[in-house]
Amino acid sequence: MAFQKMPGTQDIMPGAVERWQYVEQKARDICRRYNFREIRTPIFESTELFQRGVGETTDIVEKEMYTFTDRGDRSLTLRPEGTAGVVRAYVENKLYGEPDVSKLYYIGPMFRYERPQAGRYRQLHQFGIEALGSVDPALDAEVIALGYTFYTEVGLKGVRVEINSVGTPAVRAAFRERLLAFLEPKRELLCKDCRSRMDRNPLRVLDCKHDQQHFTDAPSILDSLDEECRNHFGKVQTYLSDMGIPFSINHRLVRGLDYYTHTVFEYKAEGIGAIDTVGAGGRYNGLVAEIGGPDQPGIGLGIGLERTILLLQHQQNEIPAAGDIDVYLIALGEAAEREVTKLVYRLRQNGLRAERDYLGRKMKAQMKSADRLQARFTAILGDDELARGEIALKDMTNGEQRIVALDRLAEAING
Ligand code: ATP
Ligand code: MG
């Protein structure tokens, strides 16, 4: 039996990959303008890094990680998200010792053992950014703006920004009591995960995918914020408004990890079935210390590229063209064959996109191939032309043919 790809993985084929390249190029270009620099960290890390860095009570750590023991008896995990690895690298490479804020971005595969469906894969790809070393709310606004800019510049319409503040650990401890008082009478109505999380990390309950209908009257964490938190959140909103980034406040938006602080946010859009979140992020002032570094603050976001691309297709956004072949070379005869092998090499060295036949096909079949590739020109070399040091160049847009010197072929094609 032939092999098949694993559930939840995808082959990104020519014809579709151009959209990926386009989206990734946009991400890189926006990061350049915002002065975020690329970081590439390993695909696997120690399991413990994610247990600590993502959090024991998250879906990811509880049920989604690809964890295995290597031949050296280490427990390793394929990265389920980007932040933990980036923060580890920030600490390990002592970036905190540098005078400026560390502004980093990544693009790459992540792995989560989930039930595959449209918009949910086991190998997914994220574009993410992390800014470490500052508590300035202007940085929160910048990160949120960068994500919004990404969606609008790739051409997505209707992306909404939702923001919230989850305060500080002290604020959450107070809110926890209020929330538990609200949840306790509903305990029997809630799912198994919710009930278990009520005891361990009640804030995470608000994040449940099944039980939202029970939370409409839940208390708002915004009412529990202290002055510092209100101040920070207020400034984030002011800056976003000043920049003209539309947003709404969703007080039930939590990223209930202990190290999340202040701003949390999500980007939402309709079009992938029940899934509406296309990207998310938050401030994590406790994370660097949690994984063994100095007490440095950070904020970041992660954007799902599959969901971005699915939505682009859903909105019938045009695929950027693969680009046509500049010239297709056709050799007639053995001596011409040898010359064409050299010519096609030289044209490519000159920056032209050149192609030829490799299947020993007749002239007619080669012409058809040139048509399929939408070659701008075909160049036909017979033994007679070769003897004169010339080649027949046909402009496929108007059918005109002329004879050009072999050593002037590149110029003739470039016009
Ligand atoms: P969800 O609630 O949909 O499971 P999440 O909270 O697990 O999302 P994050 O960990 O915040 O997602 O990841 C950021 C983004 O990565 C998501 O908004 C989404 O676009 C994308 N993403 C997450 N999990 C997957 C997946 N299994 N397949 C494809 N994209 C994903
Ligand atoms: Mg998830």
Side-chain angles (χ1 to χ4, degrees):
M1 204 189 89
F3 291 108
Q4 292 187 324
K5 61 184 180 301
M6 288 295 118
T9 65
Q10 296 192 98
D11 297 316
I12 304 171
M13 305 300 284
V17 81
E18 286 77 16
R19 205 193 287 268
W20 281 80
Q21 291 168 339
Y22 171 78
V23 162
E24 288 166 5
Q25 193 46 48
K26 270 286 173 219
R28 292 181 192 285
D29 179 55
I30 292 165
C31 284
R32 182 188 60 78
R33 279 142 57 196
Y34 279 70
N35 193 34
F36 279 77
R37 296 176 69 192
E38 186 177 6
I39 179 169
R40 300 188 185 190
T41 64
I43 302 289
F44 60 83
E45 301 262 5
S46 78
T47 301
E48 204 190 335
L49 172 69
F50 299 115
Q51 287 167 340
R52 285 192 176 223
V54 179
E56 297 278 6
T57 57
T58 56
D59 279 349
I60 289 179
V61 171
E62 282 185 342
K63 44 193 179 195
E64 295 174 0
M65 293 206 302
Y66 275 93
T67 296
F68 60 98
T69 308
D70 79 356
R71 290 167 193 273
D73 233 15
R74 302 170 191 89
S75 179
L76 303 179
T77 294
L78 300 184
R79 63 181 190 193
E81 53 94 59
T83 306
V86 169
V87 171
R88 185 213 30 81
Y90 168 84
V91 173
E92 190 168 339
N93 294 279
K94 299 194 171 56
L95 288 189
Y96 51 79
E98 296 187 348
D100 293 313
V101 170
S102 299
K103 295 169 65 175
L104 306 165
Y105 82 90
Y106 57 84
I107 298 175
M110 309 292 162
F111 304 85
R112 300 184 187 184
Y113 194 81
E114 300 204 66
R115 200 167 59 78
Q117 54 189 285
R120 201 175 289 288
Y121 305 91
R122 291 182 175 172
Q123 175 169 340
L124 57 130
H125 296 78
Q126 285 182 345
F127 157 46
I129 68 173
E130 314 291 346
L132 293 129
S134 164
V135 294
D136 190 339
L139 201 51
D140 305 38
E142 177 171 317
V143 167
I144 294 169
L146 190 155
Y148 187 73
T149 303
F150 169 78
Y151 290 115
T152 46
E153 288 196 9
V154 297
L156 270 189
K157 292 181 191 69
V159 174
R160 294 172 282 120
V161 183
E162 292 187 359
I163 64 171
N164 192 24
S165 172
V166 295
T168 56
V171 163
R172 282 203 297 281
F175 178 64
R176 188 174 185 273
E177 299 313 313
R178 290 180 55 213
L179 183 60
L180 275 177
F182 168 81
L183 291 174
E184 208 53 69
K186 300 188 192 299
R187 184 182 276 271
E188 294 315 312
L189 301 172
L190 303 179
C191 74
K192 195 166 114 277
D193 282 345
C194 280
R195 293 201 300 267
S196 133
R197 282 170 184 163
M198 273 176 71
D199 304 321
R200 295 182 296 154
N201 190 346
L203 224 67
R204 288 278 312 164
V205 173
L206 293 178
D207 212 14
C208 178
K209 289 194 178 64
H210 318 106
D211 289 342
Q212 286 301 320
Q213 72 276 15
H214 299 302
F215 305 146
T216 35
D217 299 324
S220 166
I221 191 164
L222 295 175
D223 298 330
S224 297
L225 295 186
D226 61 19
E227 203 188 324
E228 181 218 337
C229 294
R230 269 201 307 275
N231 219 329
H232 187 99
F233 194 42
K235 282 188 175 157
V236 173
Q237 294 172 56
T238 303
Y239 296 149
L240 286 174
S241 301
D242 289 350
M243 291 188 250
I245 308 286
F247 63 89
S248 61
I249 295 173
N250 174 0
H251 74 83
R252 274 181 287 157
L253 183 66
V254 290
R255 317 218 13 108
L257 311 188
D258 290 342
Y259 55 76
Y260 268 111
T261 50
H262 299 289
T263 319
V264 293
F265 55 95
E266 283 189 358
Y267 303 94
K268 296 194 168 171
E270 316 317 321
I272 323 178
I275 290 174
D276 66 352
T277 306
V278 290
R283 180 168 273 288
Y284 46 76
N285 291 352
L287 178 59
V288 182
E290 175 67 27
I291 70 163
D295 190 14
Q296 287 283 348
I299 176 163
L301 66 73
I303 286 175
L305 296 184
E306 283 81 1
R307 291 185 192 178
T308 303
I309 283 162
L310 277 170
L311 281 176
L312 282 171
Q313 282 164 335
H314 178 76
Q315 296 186 359
Q316 293 178 344
N317 214 280
E318 255 173 57
I319 300 189
D324 300 335
I325 294 279
D326 291 314
V327 57
Y328 192 96
L329 285 112
I330 297 176
L332 306 174
E334 220 168 277
E337 176 83 27
R338 179 174 171 188
E339 182 65 22
V340 156
T341 303
K342 185 174 80 185
L343 262 181
V344 77
Y345 172 79
R346 279 215 329 249
L347 292 172
R348 290 165 177 166
Q349 294 290 92
N350 271 304
L352 287 168
R353 189 163 179 200
E355 189 53 293
R356 53 161 290 182
D357 173 72
Y358 308 96
L359 300 171
R361 290 178 295 195
K362 299 245 163 11
M363 163 122 167
K364 203 171 150 205
Q366 293 195 39
M367 287 300 282
K368 275 196 185 150
S369 181
D371 270 344
R372 273 195 301 277
L373 293 169
Q374 297 188 305
R376 281 169 52 225
F377 289 93
T378 46
I380 304 159
L381 188 64
D383 287 342
D384 293 352
E385 288 93 350
L386 179 57
R388 292 193 302 268
E390 292 172 344
I391 189 164
L393 183 65
K394 183 172 176 187
D395 185 332
M396 303 297 276
T397 54
N398 56 20
E400 279 171 23
Q401 187 162 320
R402 62 199 165 110
I403 302 295
V404 300
L406 277 174
D407 56 8
R408 309 212 36 100
L409 183 56
E411 287 99 312
I413 291 166
N414 280 327

